[in-house]
Amino acid sequence: MAAAAPPPPPAPAPSAPTGLPDSDSTPVGHPLFSRIRLATPLDIPHIHKLIHQMAIYEKLTHLFTATESSLASNLFKSPPFHSFTIFLLEVSSQPFEKDTNFHSQNFTPIEKIINLDHSLIDPEAETFTNGINGDVVVAGFVLFFPNYSTFLGKPGFYVEDLFVRECYRRKGLGKMLLSAVASQAVKMGYGRVEWIVLDWNVNAIKFYEEMGANVLPEWRICRLTGPALEAYRDAL
Amino acid sequence: MAAAAPPPPPAPAPSAPTGLPDSDSTPVGHPLFSRIRLATPLDIPHIHKLIHQMAIYEKLTHLFTATESSLASNLFKSPPFHSFTIFLLEVSSQPFEKDTNFHSQNFTPIEKIINLDHSLIDPEAETFTNGINGDVVVAGFVLFFPNYSTFLGKPGFYVEDLFVRECYRRKGLGKMLLSAVASQAVKMGYGRVEWIVLDWNVNAIKFYEEMGANVLPEWRICRLTGPALEAYRDAL
């Protein structure tokens, strides 16, 4: 689809743990270890499933025609950040093993521990496990690519999709994904990060505005697709 | 800027020439030879001037900070169509000399003859001549780059800017530029061409709809820029 999936509203600040404090008063929480890393071609089956879930969430499955094969033929063809780029969000109840495969010159994975009140049950854990690193599961992704502002005379990033699986929403993970893109844009000297939102999605708009974004009220998207686009094959 | 400049309304069908028909009834017109070719780094001074004119047209000169140098450092870094790409529109009162420099594996220039009722005076001809090929002047440009639809599982093109200098408007040249992008998208098997338009610009909306585009009413652009973006430098 052509839009960032509306993210969950901002995660509430972690509340006090419900368990009793232990002897040295360390909060007894349920840590959720989260990691953002660059996706690789091996992640395509999970990415495909996440996009399908996004289509269901947005009631747009009739527009969903991507296959693992079509994704494989178009993604991961350029170095990260120069074309279509995917950050994958993984979570685990255990600390991540240091996987140097995911460290590259381009991007060092971002890790963050989120303290939950309750342990979390992921009904799809088996579908989204990577089958290698213990209980690591894929929880979401963000797909973005460079765009260009002629007025600024420099590139930016356009965020096409942002998605977090249902059981991981409202924990700050959507914000973590979008922040990772914004942080990368700043590091590269880029001038903007842009995405789109449905005008009736007031929760998402509030969330984005709290993240510092402006919603531009006057611009509308024009789209030429399907037979209307095909008609231009030999138009000139 | 972040948007396709509103193009001129569609060119009216060429009306009957005002001069008398000559002996063999060939219309006595004023042909305007037009050509679309890939821009090169040598075109940057003209491109910079065109962008500045666009900023004036849109009353957005306060947002215009691009310099020839910033454009040079960001454009023409990838093969055409794989990243930021510019089609340049040139016009001449004489047929174009065959310039094989502009023929590449990627794109063969598109030429079209437009019959005008009157000869045309370009008050900025000297500024926009390329100084090499007789009276060839740069009349406009379109800047576009690949975007990606996860639902389609394939790329498209996003048109960032479309601009035709004032004295060349209402002759079908804006349509010719946009058609060239659409045609290229079809040839590459891409699924969409998208751009944005101001909601109050009813002439532009009508023009785009006549070209087969749909205007999506519900989506709004979110933009993170300036200090609000800078704040994400070390956000994670």
Side-chain angles (χ1 to χ4, degrees), chain A residues 1 65-66 74 148 150-151 153 161 191 193-195 197 199 211 214 216 218 220-225 232, chain B residues 1 65-66 74 150-151 153 160-161 191 193-195 197 199 211 214 216 218 220-225 232:
Chain A
M1 64 153 313
T65 57
N74 294 314
Y148 195 79
T150 38
F151 279 15
D161 286 317
V193 176
E194 294 181 313
W195 61 93
V197 65
D199 66 341
M211 282 191 71
N214 290 319
L216 311 185
E218 290 186 321
R220 298 291 174 272
I221 294 159
C222 298
R223 178 179 294 170
L224 187 57
T225 190
Y232 285 87
Chain B
M1 65 157 308
T65 58
N74 294 313
T150 39
F151 279 15
E160 173 69 18
D161 286 315
V193 176
E194 294 179 313
W195 61 92
V197 65
D199 65 341
M211 282 190 72
N214 290 319
L216 311 186
E218 291 187 320
R220 298 292 174 272
I221 294 158
C222 299
R223 178 178 294 171
L224 187 58
T225 192
Y232 283 88

Side-chain angles (χ1 to χ4, degrees), chain A residues 1-4 6 36 51 54-56 58 60-61 63-67 70-75 78 82-84 110 112 141 143 145-156 158 160-161 175-187 190-200 205 208 210-226 228-236, chain B residues 1-4 6 36 51 54-56 58 60-61 63-67 70-75 78 82-84 110 112 141 143 145-156 158 160-161 175-187 190-200 205 208 210-226 228-236:
Chain A
M1 64 153 313
I36 291 173
I51 298 171
M54 192 171 60
I56 293 169
E58 297 187 339
L60 291 174
T61 46
L63 297 180
F64 179 74
T65 57
T67 61
S70 67
L71 295 174
S73 67
N74 294 314
L75 298 175
S78 301
H82 291 268
S83 182
F84 318 130
I110 295 165
K112 200 170 169 181
F141 78 108
L143 186 148
F145 48 80
N147 63 5
Y148 195 79
S149 163
T150 38
F151 279 15
L152 299 180
K154 55 180 162 180
Y158 183 84
E160 173 68 17
D161 286 317
K175 184 173 182 176
M176 185 178 163
L177 277 168
L178 195 51
S179 300
V181 178
S183 175
Q184 185 65 30
V186 178
K187 281 172 189 158
Y190 285 9
R192 287 175 182 167
V193 176
E194 294 181 313
W195 61 93
I196 59 176
V197 65
L198 286 161
D199 66 341
W200 48 257
I205 290 172
Y208 293 142
E210 283 171 359
M211 282 191 71
N214 290 319
V215 177
L216 311 185
E218 290 186 321
W219 293 97
R220 298 291 174 272
I221 294 159
C222 298
R223 178 179 294 170
L224 187 57
T225 190
L229 176 61
E230 283 292 329
Y232 285 87
R233 181 178 295 275
D234 303 306
L236 294 162
Chain B
M1 65 157 308
I36 290 174
I51 298 170
M54 191 170 62
I56 293 168
E58 297 187 340
L60 291 173
T61 45
L63 297 180
F64 179 74
T65 58
T67 61
S70 67
L71 295 173
S73 67
N74 294 313
L75 299 173
S78 301
H82 291 269
S83 184
F84 319 130
I110 296 165
K112 202 169 168 180
F141 80 108
L143 185 148
F145 49 79
N147 63 5
Y148 195 79
S149 163
T150 39
F151 279 15
L152 300 178
K154 55 180 162 178
Y158 183 84
E160 173 69 18
D161 286 315
K175 185 173 182 174
M176 185 179 165
L177 277 168
L178 194 52
S179 300
V181 178
S183 176
Q184 185 65 30
V186 178
K187 281 172 188 160
Y190 285 8
R192 289 176 180 164
V193 176
E194 294 179 313
W195 61 92
I196 59 176
V197 65
L198 286 162
D199 65 341
W200 48 257
I205 290 172
Y208 292 142
E210 283 170 0
M211 282 190 72
N214 290 319
V215 178
L216 311 186
E218 291 187 320
W219 293 97
R220 298 292 174 272
I221 294 158
C222 299
R223 178 178 294 171
L224 187 58
T225 192
L229 176 60
E230 284 291 330
Y232 283 88
R233 180 179 296 275
D234 302 305
L236 293 163

